[in-house]
């Protein structure tokens, strides 16, 4: 009976996302299994995954070890030993399984190593040690090269970040840039990153390898706050500064102005400080805004279990709940209340905009002061380089200037955040009711809270009654 073996394939980088490298490895391994008269029952593939980086989990490698230990497969075929392991600890885990099951098979396309014998294991350990050293040497050279490129403001290559053309990382992709700017406006208007992520996932946006992986929350946040958006060169995630104390500009087209980018970064940071670790998701417009007309407790929306598409039952209700500390005596159908409040709020904001629209100050008033501080820092650094002052004097004067610069930058970010947020929220005056309900729920709530502090829902009495707007009391600011 033919021995059942697993084929393991891996490649560290697959920039095109087409899996051609692992496909070639699989073909060569299948030829080898045919020559050995083995039966390949499963292919374990870790495409675009490093075996050298310690913080990387190779999912199919881990699954292969489990299957091997459980006896589901009788051996492994790989293209080369370094496809399996570049860290000695991974090799030792594999050797431990071969110790437990001496009759396991092992073969590689490029050479013959028998992990079932002491000599084979010794040779494997030597080969992995050399592969590990080679990876260390390559990593060191690559880091040095990337740092040198970063200091020159040059790009480091690799897949183009979202927002720039795939075939030219220096040129902006107009469609992606428009999606980023729209998402940034939503952030300033109160929309959650989670809502943007869900929409991007459905539309196939935001991921340079769309369809291959589920987009993570932090990935979307990074796209919207990336210093690259304003042309700043980064190194290991941090903005790289030149000898003059200014950010090093990159050799690519920016998507944002500094003011736009700082406003978004400040809005994201502020939200994290206000609600650390707490979900801001809402399902119904007036959840947390509506209050019971009898006990004044907050009312939240509840799905009607009897509702289904096409039925006449209400889709959801606003109900005072005893569980949340209320009296439990008030409950109303939700949709007509939402529509009434949307109409009232939009009408109020249109009237207010027509009368009280005041032009906002466009330029932050501290720009000249910040420029002077940055100039002082550059002069101090240049004076030390020219031996006009000592290092000790520089280190005595520099920290105070740097603190002043950072404080001014923080004030600038707050100024533009508030300005951009006000601009984003003023757009509501031009919305129709249908446009209003097409917005994300967080944006709808921001518009309502711009005009109202609460909505009091009064009881309607017993039995089925026609909707009475007079029993819905908006509390205006």
């Amino acid at each position: 009976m033919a021995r059942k073996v697993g084929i393991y394939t891996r490649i560290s980088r697959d920039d095109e996302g087409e899996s051609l490298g692992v496909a070639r490895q699989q073909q060569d391994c299948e030829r080898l299994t045919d020559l050995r008269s083995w039966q390949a029952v499963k292919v374990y593939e870790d495409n675009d995954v490093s075996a050298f980086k310690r913080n990387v989990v190779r999912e199919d490698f881990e699954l292969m070890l489990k299957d091997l230990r459980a006896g589901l497969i009788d051996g492994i075929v790989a293209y080369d030993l370094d496809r399996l392991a570049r860290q000695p600890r991974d090799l030792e885990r594999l050797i431990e399984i071969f110790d437990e099951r001496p009759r396991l098979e092992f073969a590689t396309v490029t050479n013959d190593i028998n992990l079932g014998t002491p000599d084979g294991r010794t040779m494997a350990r030597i080969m992995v040690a050399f592969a590990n050293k080679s990876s260390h040497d390559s990593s060191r050279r690559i880091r040095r090269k990337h740092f040198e490129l970063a200091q020159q403001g040059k790009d480091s290559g690799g897949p183009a970040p979202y927002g720039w053309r795939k075939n030219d990382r220096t040129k902006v992709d107009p469609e992606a840039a428009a999606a980023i700017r729209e998402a940034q406006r939503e952030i300033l208007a109160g929309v959650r990153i989670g809502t943007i992520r869900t929409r991007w996932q459905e539309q196939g946006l935001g991921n340079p390898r769309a369809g291959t992986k589920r987009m993570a929350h932090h990935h979307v946040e990074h796209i919207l706050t990336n210093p690259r958006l304003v042309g700043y060169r980064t190194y290991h995630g941090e903005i790289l500064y030149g000898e003059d104390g200014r950010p090093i500009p990159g050799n690519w087209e920016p998507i944002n102005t500094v003011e736009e980018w700082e406003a978004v970064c400040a809005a994201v940071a502020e939200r994290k400080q206000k609600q650390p670790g707490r979900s801001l998701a809402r399902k119904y417009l007036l959840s947390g805004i509506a209050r019971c007309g009898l006990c004044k407790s907050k009312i939240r929306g509840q799905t009607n279990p009897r509702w289904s598409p096409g039925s006449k039952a209400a889709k959801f209700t606003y109900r005072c709940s005893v569980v949340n500390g209320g009296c439990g005596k008030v409950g109303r159908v939700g949709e007509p209340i939402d529509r009434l409040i949307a109409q009232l709020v939009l009408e109020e904001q249109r009237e207010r905009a027509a009368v009280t629209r005041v032009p906002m100050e466009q330029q932050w008033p501290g720009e000249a002061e910040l420029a002077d501080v940055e100039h002082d820092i550059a002069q101090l650094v240049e004076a030390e380089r020219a031996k006009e002052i000592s290092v000790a004097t520089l280190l005595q004067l520099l920290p105070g200037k740097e603190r002043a610069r950072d404080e001014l930058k923080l004030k600038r970010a707050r100024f533009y955040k508030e300005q951009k947020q006000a601009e984003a929220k003023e757009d509501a005056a031009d919305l129709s009711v249908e446009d209003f309900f097409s917005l994300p729920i967080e944006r709808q709530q921001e518009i309502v809270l711009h005009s109202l502090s609460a909505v009091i829902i009064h009881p309607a009495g017993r039995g089925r009654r026609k909707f009475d707007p007079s029993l819905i009391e908006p509390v205006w600011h």
Side-chain angles (χ1 to χ4, degrees):
M1 184 176 179
R3 303 281 279 167
K4 296 181 294 183
V5 297
I7 292 175
Y8 181 77
T9 62
R10 183 190 66 80
I11 194 169
S12 296
R13 285 190 61 169
D14 180 18
D15 293 341
E16 291 76 25
E18 296 178 356
S19 303
L20 298 179
V22 289
R24 288 190 293 269
Q25 291 178 30
Q26 180 179 336
Q27 290 173 359
D28 292 342
C29 290
E30 286 172 346
R31 291 193 193 98
L32 181 58
T33 58
D34 290 341
L35 289 172
R36 299 287 180 93
S37 298
W38 295 339
Q39 180 187 358
V41 294
K42 182 171 178 57
V43 177
Y44 302 89
E45 179 186 301
D46 283 319
N47 187 45
D48 200 23
V49 179
S50 170
F52 171 68
K53 296 178 181 177
R54 290 177 175 271
N55 61 337
V56 172
V57 176
R58 291 184 284 160
E59 293 182 1
D60 268 27
F61 177 78
E62 298 297 331
L63 176 60
M64 180 188 69
L65 295 185
K66 286 183 181 178
D67 290 350
L68 202 61
R69 193 184 296 275
L72 299 179
I73 54 177
D74 300 318
I76 302 169
V77 176
Y79 183 79
D80 192 270
L81 186 62
D82 67 2
R83 298 301 89 199
L84 273 169
R86 276 185 174 262
Q87 287 289 352
R89 61 179 181 175
D90 287 337
L91 176 64
E92 294 302 326
R93 294 168 64 199
L94 189 59
I95 288 175
E96 183 181 330
I97 297 174
F98 274 77
D99 265 341
E100 296 171 358
R101 301 185 60 203
R103 295 187 67 250
L104 288 177
E105 305 288 358
F106 182 83
T108 62
V109 173
T110 55
N111 52 55
D112 247 341
I113 295 175
N114 186 357
L115 291 182
T117 67
D119 288 345
R121 293 174 190 179
T122 300
M123 182 58 67
R125 287 177 174 124
I126 293 171
M127 292 176 67
V128 168
F130 272 100
N132 184 265
K133 182 182 185 304
S134 174
S135 294
H136 269 294
D137 293 342
S138 297
S139 177
R140 185 177 63 251
R141 289 193 299 269
I142 291 170
R143 284 199 304 270
R144 184 67 187 89
K145 175 188 174 184
H146 284 180
F147 183 62
E148 185 178 342
L149 290 173
Q151 289 178 312
Q152 297 171 5
K154 296 180 180 178
D155 220 336
S156 298
Y162 186 68
W164 286 265
R165 297 182 186 274
K166 292 182 179 180
N167 57 351
D168 187 350
R169 294 168 55 98
T170 65
K171 302 294 183 183
V172 168
D173 179 342
E175 292 185 7
I180 289 172
R181 293 191 190 101
E182 175 60 26
Q184 289 175 327
R185 283 192 291 271
E186 289 181 326
I187 291 292
L188 292 167
V191 177
R192 295 183 312 119
I193 289 177
T195 300
I196 296 169
R197 179 191 65 177
T198 301
R199 189 181 77 243
W200 276 14
Q201 191 79 37
E202 293 171 351
Q203 297 175 350
L205 302 175
N207 193 337
R209 303 170 192 177
T212 61
K213 295 179 181 177
R214 177 174 172 79
M215 213 181 322
H217 181 283
H218 66 83
H219 177 59
V220 179
E221 181 181 319
H222 175 70
I223 289 175
L224 301 180
T225 59
N226 190 353
R228 182 186 171 93
L229 293 167
V230 286
Y232 289 167
R233 188 62 170 90
T234 60
Y235 185 70
H236 286 182
E238 299 290 335
I239 297 174
L240 200 61
Y241 292 88
E243 294 179 347
D244 59 357
R246 298 177 184 274
I248 292 177
N251 63 340
W252 55 81
E253 296 176 354
I255 291 176
N256 289 146
T257 65
V258 173
E259 294 80 10
E260 291 169 341
W261 175 73
E262 286 186 342
V264 174
C265 291
V268 171
E270 182 182 61
R271 195 174 302 179
K272 286 181 177 179
Q273 290 174 352
K274 284 185 176 180
Q275 306 286 351
R278 178 182 167 190
S279 172
L280 301 176
R282 291 288 185 270
K283 191 174 181 180
Y284 303 106
L285 176 64
L286 300 181
S287 285
I289 300 174
R291 287 185 177 271
C292 174
L294 294 179
C295 67
K296 303 304 184 289
S297 296
K298 284 187 177 181
I299 292 178
R300 301 190 183 279
Q302 298 179 13
T303 301
N304 185 349
R306 292 179 293 177
W307 179 84
S308 62
S311 71
K312 294 184 179 180
K315 188 173 183 179
F316 70 97
T317 60
Y318 288 113
R319 187 169 299 280
C320 182
S321 172
V322 176
V323 175
N324 294 324
C327 63
K329 297 179 180 179
V330 173
R332 304 293 301 277
V333 173
E335 288 173 305
I337 297 176
D338 283 1
R339 193 163 187 86
L340 171 66
I341 293 301
Q343 290 171 341
L344 293 175
V345 165
L346 293 176
E347 182 179 346
E348 188 270 344
Q349 292 188 15
R350 276 193 290 270
E351 292 174 357
R352 192 195 317 170
V355 177
T356 63
R357 190 182 293 270
V358 178
M360 288 180 291
E361 190 174 2
Q362 296 297 317
Q363 189 72 25
W364 176 55
E367 202 67 64
E369 184 182 357
L370 176 58
D372 288 342
V373 173
E374 289 180 332
H375 179 68
D376 290 345
I377 291 173
Q379 279 192 322
L380 284 172
V381 173
E382 184 59 35
E384 189 279 327
R385 191 178 297 112
K387 306 301 182 185
E388 295 173 3
I389 61 174
S390 66
V391 174
T393 302
L394 174 69
L395 297 179
Q396 187 176 7
L397 299 174
L398 198 57
K401 293 288 184 181
E402 289 175 334
R403 280 195 298 272
R405 177 198 64 194
D406 295 342
E407 288 174 5
L408 287 168
K409 282 188 173 182
L410 186 59
K411 290 179 181 178
R412 182 176 67 179
R414 287 175 181 154
F415 174 86
Y416 286 118
K417 173 187 72 70
E418 292 169 4
Q419 185 184 85
K420 299 296 180 184
Q421 282 179 329
E423 289 174 359
K425 291 173 183 177
E426 277 188 358
D427 294 342
D430 302 322
L431 293 174
S432 66
V433 174
E434 286 69 27
D435 292 336
F436 173 85
F437 283 111
S438 69
L439 296 173
I441 190 68
E442 302 95 335
R443 179 77 177 100
Q444 295 175 29
Q445 287 197 321
E446 285 282 347
I447 293 172
V448 169
L449 289 171
H450 196 54
S451 296
L452 302 177
S453 57
V455 174
I456 298 176
I457 299 177
H458 295 284
R462 294 182 178 277
R464 185 182 294 273
R465 292 173 179 269
K466 186 178 180 181
F467 176 67
D468 184 357
S470 67
L471 296 177
I472 311 301
E473 180 186 349
V475 182
W476 302 96
H477 284 311

